[in-house]
Amino acid sequence: GVSATGSVRVLPATLGLLFHADVGDAADFSVGAEVAWVSYGTSTLSLLGQDVLRVTPKSEWTWGLKAGLDGPLGRNWTVGARIEYIAARAKTDDPTLPRLDPCPILFNVGVARRF
């Protein structure tokens, strides 16, 4: 069969409000909403090893949601995990091109130290 491959770089910058619910001394749960400015890199579609299409989607404003959980790790340390969804819809000026809906779901884990 014939296969086509391609990828696009999604670069979000977000600003949001998190609401924290203290679940006791062991954990801190947070949930919130955000606005996001999403820009995209140029995407190249390759068919049978040949580049056949280059597309640069327009940057956009959109929204997102995130939730997280933090817990103590010793006296001055905290470990946390977050999941985030961004409602990205990449559009171009060319109506003949298919719409790209990356809608990234991001997951991160981190460690923090209090000074």
Side-chain angles (χ1 to χ4, degrees):
V2 177
S3 67
T5 60
S7 64
V8 66
R9 185 177 53 197
V10 180
L11 303 167
T14 63
L15 177 66
L17 293 173
L18 285 177
F19 299 95
H20 292 264
D22 193 1
V23 190
D25 293 337
D28 176 36
F29 177 73
S30 60
V31 63
E34 62 192 9
V35 294
W37 173 253
V38 183
S39 61
Y40 302 92
T42 298
S43 177
T44 302
L45 179 68
S46 299
L47 183 62
L48 300 173
Q50 298 294 316
D51 293 347
V52 294
L53 179 65
R54 291 179 60 84
V55 178
T56 304
K58 296 186 219 176
S59 297
E60 65 175 328
W61 283 101
T62 189
W63 59 274
L65 301 171
K66 75 172 55 170
L69 185 63
D70 296 314
L73 185 64
R75 185 174 161 183
N76 294 321
W77 292 87
T78 301
V79 64
R82 302 264 179 287
I83 189 163
E84 179 177 0
Y85 167 81
I86 300 174
R89 305 280 188 256
K91 297 176 186 169
T92 66
D93 289 327
D94 187 345
T96 63
L97 295 176
R99 191 172 89 184
L100 173 68
D101 295 336
C103 296
I105 296 176
L106 311 168
F107 180 75
N108 66 57
V109 176
V111 176
R113 184 178 191 288
R114 290 188 178 169
F115 294 96

